[in-house]
Amino acid sequence: MKKLIPFILTTSLYFWTSALLAGPADGWGLFLDAGQLKPVNDDSGKEYQTSKIIGDQIDYQFALGESFSFSLFGTEFVGKGTLPGITKYEYYKAGVFGVEFRAWMGPLFVGFHGGQYYLTWIESLSSYSGIKWSGGNGFGFGLETNTGWSLGWYREKSEKIDFDDFPDQRIEGERIILGYRWR
């Protein structure tokens, strides 16, 4: 632990003073999501995810000066899961359509966002439970270089999603995104 703090400070100082120095930039971003958005029983907290598959995110960012940005984004995640007593649905799709506000310190950012979270359970390509929506929010931090490459970590949590035939659920999880922004 004693060596980790100097490493983090040295790395941050390197990025702060190097040619990688970036900030908010207008443009489209496309990201691969290696984290998870998982369905959770709203009453008991039981997770219904049995394995991760993959996710993605697209956004458009608007620079607001040199220290702030605003973006519109959509993210989607597909996972494998099981509902208690309901065996016909093996997969689920969860996602977010939202807005994010970022504060920048050179190439580093801290972001806060809110939006509409959705969840659907999938039986086959032509049969699914119907898409259910709820509000929610999240936060994250990351690094974006002046070459356009970006790495970020996010924490998500939706409000209760009401289902007619299933237990009420919410979406939560941590996501790691890696991608590129066209400048």
Side-chain angles (χ1 to χ4, degrees):
M1 182 68 174
K2 289 182 181 182
K3 292 182 181 181
L4 182 62
I5 292 172
F7 173 76
I8 291 171
L9 291 174
T10 304
T11 304
S12 298
L13 184 60
Y14 171 76
F15 283 120
W16 188 268
T17 61
S18 74
L20 295 177
L21 186 60
D26 291 338
W28 287 101
L30 185 61
F31 305 89
L32 180 64
D33 185 342
Q36 60 187 351
L37 288 176
K38 56 189 171 194
V40 175
N41 183 298
D42 190 57
D43 294 327
S44 69
K46 178 178 172 30
E47 296 179 8
Y48 295 140
Q49 178 184 22
T50 57
S51 70
K52 305 174 199 176
I53 296 182
I54 196 161
D56 57 9
Q57 177 174 313
I58 187 168
D59 72 8
Y60 191 88
Q61 181 171 269
F62 303 90
L64 304 173
E66 294 185 20
S67 299
F68 300 100
S69 67
F70 169 80
S71 64
L72 303 171
F73 72 94
T75 186
E76 187 169 69
F77 184 85
V78 177
K80 201 169 186 181
T82 58
L83 287 165
I86 304 170
T87 59
K88 71 179 189 175
Y89 298 109
E90 295 182 43
Y91 298 92
Y92 69 91
K93 187 182 284 190
V96 184
F97 291 104
V99 295
E100 180 174 48
F101 180 76
R102 288 181 177 176
W104 291 81
M105 297 165 289
L108 305 173
F109 66 85
V110 175
F112 300 94
H113 62 270
Q116 288 293 304
Y117 288 66
Y118 69 88
L119 175 64
T120 185
W121 285 91
I122 303 168
E123 180 180 6
S124 68
L125 290 176
S126 60
S127 177
Y128 59 95
S129 66
I131 298 173
K132 301 295 183 175
W133 296 84
S134 178
N137 57 56
F139 64 91
F141 60 89
L143 166 75
E144 188 169 304
T145 69
N146 65 356
T147 61
W149 289 101
S150 182
L151 175 67
W153 173 88
Y154 284 91
R155 175 81 177 132
E156 308 285 351
K157 187 171 183 182
S158 78
E159 296 172 357
K160 180 171 72 169
I161 300 173
D162 294 320
F163 279 94
D164 298 330
D165 302 332
F166 308 146
D168 291 338
Q169 299 164 52
R170 67 179 182 271
I171 299 298
E172 63 181 44
E174 296 176 359
R175 304 182 306 118
I176 298 171
I177 61 171
L178 173 64
Y180 185 80
R181 179 170 317 284
W182 287 267
R183 296 168 171 250

